């Protein structure tokens, strides 16, 4: 598994597809569809959907990694704003951050994209 | 030489941008201010900044949009502050979103053609996880795209955190 992080609209997906020669059809945006795709885009959104439907995103992540251990996960960094008033938003933000930490620990590589430019963090 | 500088609010990106200008060997230091001045408070602030920069030998040019209409003296180093303002002015106060990307790139292209060195200050607004209204999202997406395009064109790209530049492209001195 590899992890790509960065702010929104920084060119993370384009960078990933180009670097690994992956076609845009080989991407997914949900835990389920990511099981047989090379790239899992908008991980932060999938986490939000999981939380709002009462599922545990951590368990879903574990299940995904069991069937697709080579997946490249792309996730927006969402934690650099004012603490949201809405509790659900707060929990989401925190969950995305914590999950990224855990993914980063296990990832083969971690890259951060800024203005379309990659920086290898791990 | 073109340098793109980004960072959060109060990160010290302006001070770092100024230091880049002071290191340039070009003769004329131009501060290209894109902020639209609205009230007496703005005017006061601008006057104070103008005075501060005059002491460092800057000539201030105020141009909230349509940068292509600016004519620079020869051998200039330009500090464009800042891209997020310029983009907002073009999108919300000028001819609107349609064609804004082309207009902005054309304006910056014109400055780049004339200047010996160009330092552009932009903003890091993309990591707060907030879903804004559609028009704001459109603005953010455009600013991010401009950041990427200008980063490609730049010789150096620096993110400033706590006053310290982190070079994403090109090396610092």
């Amino acid at each position: 598994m590899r992890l790509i992080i960065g702010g929104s609209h920084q060119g993370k997906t384009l960078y990933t597809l180009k670097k690994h020669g992956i076609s845009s059809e080989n991407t997914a945006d949900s835990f389920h569809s990511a099981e047989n795709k090379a790239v899992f885009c908008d991980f932060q959104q999938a986490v939000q959907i999981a939380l709002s439907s009462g599922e545990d995103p951590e368990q879903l992540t574990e299940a995904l990694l069991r069937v697709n251990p080579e997946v490249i996960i792309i996730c927006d960094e969402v934690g650099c704003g004012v603490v949201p008033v809405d509790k659900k938003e707060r929990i989401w933000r925190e969950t995305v951050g914590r999950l990224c930490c855990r993914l980063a620990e296990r990832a083969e590589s971690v890259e951060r994209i800024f203005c379309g430019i990659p920086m290898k963090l791990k | 030489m073109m340098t793109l500088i980004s960072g959060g609010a109060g990160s010290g990106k302006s001070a770092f941008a100024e230091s880049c200008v002071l290191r340039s060997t070009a003769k004329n230091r131009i501060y290209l201010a894109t902020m639209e001045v609205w009230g007496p408070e703005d005017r006061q602030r601008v006057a104070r900044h103008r005075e501060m920069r005059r002491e460092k030998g800057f000539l201030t040019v105020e141009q909230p949009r349509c940068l292509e209409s600016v004519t620079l003296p020869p051998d200039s180093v330009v500090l464009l502050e800042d891209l997020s303002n310029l983009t907002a002015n073009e999108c919300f106060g000028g001819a609107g979103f349609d064609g804004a990307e082309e207009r902005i790139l054309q304006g910056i292209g014109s400055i780049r053609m004339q200047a010996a060195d160009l330092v552009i200050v932009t903003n890091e607004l993309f990591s707060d996880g907030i879903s804004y209204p559609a028009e704001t999202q459109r603005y953010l997406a455009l600013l991010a795209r401009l950041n990427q395009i200008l980063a490609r064109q730049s010789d150096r790209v620096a993110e400033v955190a706590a006053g310290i530049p982190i070079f994403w492209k090109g090396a610092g001195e």
Side-chain angles (χ1 to χ4, degrees):
Chain A
M1 180 262 295
R2 293 173 189 275
L3 180 64
I4 309 279
I5 58 169
S8 57
H9 310 296
Q10 297 301 301
K12 298 185 291 299
T13 303
L14 195 64
Y15 165 77
T16 305
L17 297 183
K18 244 184 174 167
K19 183 185 176 186
H20 297 280
I22 296 166
S23 77
S24 54
E25 289 85 59
N26 204 356
T27 63
D29 60 2
S30 71
F31 283 102
H32 181 67
S33 59
E35 286 181 359
N36 54 7
K37 300 283 187 195
V39 180
F40 186 175
C41 301
D42 287 320
F43 179 76
Q44 79 288 345
Q45 257 170 36
V47 170
Q48 192 161 38
I49 291 166
L51 287 171
S52 62
S53 57
E55 289 177 286
D56 180 355
E58 197 179 328
Q59 277 177 18
L60 292 172
T61 305
E62 289 302 326
L64 170 65
L65 292 177
R66 273 195 296 275
V67 292
N68 190 358
E70 296 298 315
V71 67
I72 301 172
I73 297 177
I74 300 178
C75 186
D76 278 9
E77 285 177 81
V78 297
C80 294
V82 176
V83 179
V85 179
D86 184 70
K87 191 181 174 190
K88 277 186 192 146
E89 289 286 316
R90 278 203 302 278
I91 291 172
W92 167 65
R93 209 172 71 136
E94 186 73 16
T95 308
V96 170
R98 300 271 171 233
L99 274 172
C100 277
C101 295
R102 312 209 26 184
L103 287 170
E105 275 174 22
R106 293 157 62 177
E108 196 175 316
S109 69
V110 181
E111 283 174 289
R112 187 164 181 237
I113 314 295
F114 181 76
C115 298
I117 304 165
M119 185 181 279
K120 205 170 179 87
L121 301 185
K122 179 183 169 180
Chain B
M1 161 98 86
M2 179 164 154
T3 308
L4 183 71
I5 297 170
S6 190
S11 59
K13 53 191 188 300
S14 297
F16 175 66
E18 265 189 26
S19 77
C20 290
V21 170
L22 298 182
R23 277 199 299 270
S24 164
T25 53
K27 203 171 74 198
N28 297 298
R29 294 171 182 160
I30 312 290
Y31 185 84
L32 190 49
T34 59
M35 198 182 96
E36 205 131 28
V37 178
W38 291 108
E41 209 179 300
D42 280 357
R43 265 195 294 278
Q44 220 173 7
R45 212 167 75 151
V46 166
R48 196 172 61 91
H49 285 168
R50 207 183 250 268
E51 194 48 47
M52 272 163 59
R53 282 188 304 266
R54 202 194 328 264
E55 288 161 13
K56 291 177 186 161
F58 278 90
L59 172 73
T60 299
V61 176
E62 273 168 62
Q63 190 73 29
R65 58 182 76 79
C66 304
L67 294 190
E68 61 277 10
S69 62
V70 173
T71 306
L72 296 171
D75 198 25
S76 293
V77 49
V78 177
L79 171 46
L80 168 58
E81 185 153 21
D82 61 37
L83 183 67
S84 43
N85 247 314
L86 174 69
T87 305
N89 295 341
E90 288 280 359
C91 292
F92 299 113
F97 274 100
D98 289 333
E101 180 177 333
E102 291 72 23
R103 290 198 304 277
I104 292 162
L105 289 173
Q106 203 174 10
I108 292 173
S110 155
I111 298 295
R112 198 183 164 202
M113 289 279 285
Q114 298 178 63
D117 290 316
L118 172 59
V119 179
I120 300 174
V121 174
T122 185
N123 252 281
E124 171 49 38
L125 304 172
F126 311 101
S127 303
D128 64 5
I130 297 172
S131 292
Y132 292 96
E135 206 175 43
T136 310
Q137 294 282 21
R138 193 174 175 194
Y139 163 75
L140 289 171
L142 172 59
L143 181 60
R145 202 159 54 241
L146 289 168
N147 281 347
Q148 284 186 52
I149 294 166
L150 293 170
R152 264 202 303 278
Q153 295 177 1
S154 292
D155 304 288
R156 298 189 301 177
V157 178
E159 176 191 12
V160 181
I164 299 163
I166 301 152
F167 284 91
W168 288 80
K169 182 179 179 181
E173 294 100 306

